[in-house]
């Protein structure tokens, strides 16, 4: 009886997913540069720089979603690719949004009549944005070493969930808010406080053990992939035409979904007692 020998992909094919990962890093690096330019800009120019940084993070998320799918589709997944992808995520979804969140929401705040308050808000912003980056790195490390992790509030049997908000989703919360505001930075100190609360809460969600929808049950390689292709095309069209509203709705809906799932699980347990 003849045994079918599985053909290994050519060596050059292993470069393909790494190219998307490199695009992820490039987008993150571009976002960092644009954030720095925005903090040094004058007049309306800084808003454009900050907006470009937020859009770059969104593109990084697209590249991050493609590299894994390409690797699985071409059977070129490797340990090197996984480590490379994790390092890219730290840059694009950790360092880049951390710097952008600080420069956009703290650095550009106008001085008040209370210099002590300004000084404390400045250092509070540094601490909160740094913690956001650390939470994202810890989320990646936990994801890399976990085997079949289970959330504290399990969902439907048979469905796969992320334990904690994924770091790309956390970065998209930052990017979506800034893009929705067209990059126009925060100038009022009280708004800066609200912004830091959102950044801190997003960081907490990344290291939490709450469940978040993974979307892994969505498959586009079925025998009749027309429905999946149409949904994907419609989603991309909405992102291109209504990017401000589409990104903010998707990012906030995903954030709220994890919170509601945790609250619903807690209420269900209390009702069962």
């Amino acid at each position: 009886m003849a045994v079918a020998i599985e053909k290994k992909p050519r060596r050059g094919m292993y470069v393909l997913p790494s190219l998307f990962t490199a695009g992820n890093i490039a987008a993150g690096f571009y976002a960092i540069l644009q954030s720095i330019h925005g903090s040094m800009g004058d007049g309306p120019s800084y808003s454009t720089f900050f907006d470009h940084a937020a859009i770059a993070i969104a593109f990084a998320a697209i590249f991050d979603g493609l590299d894994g799918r390409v690797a699985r589709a071409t059977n070129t997944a490797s340990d090197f690719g996984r480590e490379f992808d994790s390092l890219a995520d730290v840059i694009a979804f950790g360092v880049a949004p951390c710097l952008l969140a600080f420069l956009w929401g703290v650095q550009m705040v106008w001085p008040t009549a209370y210099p002590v308050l300004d000084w404390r808000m400045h250092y509070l912003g540094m601490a909160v944005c740094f913690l956001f980056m650390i939470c994202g790195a810890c989320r990646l490390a936990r994801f890399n070493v976990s085997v079949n992790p289970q959330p504290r509030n399990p969902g439907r049997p048979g469905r796969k969930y992320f334990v904690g908000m994924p770091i790309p989703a956390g970065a998209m919360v930052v990017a979506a808010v800034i893009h929705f505001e067209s990059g126009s930075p925060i100038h009022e100190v009280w708004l800066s406080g609200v912004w830091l609360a959102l950044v801190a809460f997003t960081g907490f969600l990344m290291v939490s053990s709450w469940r978040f929808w993974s979307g892994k049950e969505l498959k586009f390689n079925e025998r009749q992939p027309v429905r999946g292709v149409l949904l994907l095309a419609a989603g991309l069209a909405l992102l291109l035409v209504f990017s401000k509203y589409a990104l903010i709705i998707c990012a906030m809906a995903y954030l709220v979904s994890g919170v509601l799932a945790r609250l619903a699980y807690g209420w269900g347990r209390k009702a069962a007692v």
Side-chain angles (χ1 to χ4, degrees):
M1 182 177 179
V3 179
I5 301 176
E6 184 179 356
K7 293 183 179 180
K8 293 184 178 181
R10 296 180 180 179
R11 290 184 178 181
M13 292 296 292
Y14 285 91
V15 180
L16 187 59
S18 295
L19 290 177
F20 287 96
T21 306
N24 183 2
I25 298 176
F29 179 64
Y30 179 78
I32 292 172
L33 292 180
Q34 291 297 295
S35 300
I36 295 173
H37 286 315
S39 66
M40 298 184 300
D42 185 20
S45 62
Y46 53 62
S47 298
T48 303
F49 287 125
F50 286 133
D51 192 32
H52 287 173
I55 295 173
I57 292 175
F59 273 101
I62 295 174
F63 285 125
D64 181 66
L66 288 175
D67 60 2
R69 290 185 177 274
V70 170
R72 289 187 293 270
T74 57
N75 194 26
T76 55
S78 63
D79 293 336
F80 171 82
R82 284 187 286 271
E83 295 298 327
F84 190 33
D85 181 65
S86 294
L87 293 174
D89 288 350
V90 171
I91 296 171
F93 308 126
V95 179
C98 167
L99 183 64
L100 178 59
F102 176 76
L103 295 178
W104 181 82
V106 180
Q107 183 72 27
M108 304 300 290
V109 172
W110 289 329
T112 65
Y114 306 96
V116 176
L117 176 62
D118 299 337
W119 176 80
R120 289 182 177 178
M121 283 297 298
H122 186 85
Y123 282 94
L124 176 63
M126 291 176 61
V128 169
C129 294
F130 173 74
L131 287 175
F132 176 90
M133 182 174 61
I134 290 296
C135 289
C138 291
R139 170 65 176 79
L140 282 171
R142 185 179 66 183
F143 177 79
N144 290 340
V145 301
S146 299
V147 179
N148 192 25
Q150 298 297 324
R152 182 179 298 178
N153 52 326
R156 297 180 183 179
R159 280 196 174 185
K160 295 183 178 180
Y161 296 93
F162 288 125
V163 178
M165 176 183 279
I167 184 173
M172 282 306 303
V173 171
V174 174
V177 172
I178 295 174
H179 182 53
F180 183 75
E181 295 293 332
S182 300
S184 180
I186 292 176
H187 294 304
E188 293 79 12
V189 67
W190 70 271
L191 275 178
S192 180
V194 175
W195 170 246
L196 291 178
L198 175 63
V199 173
F201 184 62
T202 304
F204 162 76
L205 290 178
M206 288 192 289
V207 295
S208 71
S209 57
W210 301 358
R211 77 170 186 259
F212 283 84
W213 181 58
S214 68
K216 293 182 178 180
E217 63 267 21
L218 298 178
K219 298 181 180 179
F220 301 102
N221 57 347
E222 298 175 351
R223 293 182 178 180
Q224 297 179 351
V226 177
R227 183 181 301 178
V229 173
L230 290 177
L231 288 174
L232 182 62
L236 289 175
L238 288 174
L239 285 175
L240 291 174
V241 180
F242 306 104
S243 60
K244 291 183 180 181
Y245 300 99
L247 287 178
I248 194 73
I249 290 173
C250 292
M252 291 303 172
Y254 191 74
L255 184 150
V256 172
S257 69
V259 177
L260 291 180
R262 182 67 182 91
L263 293 176
Y265 180 78
W267 291 335
R269 292 191 62 181
K270 289 182 180 180
V273 174

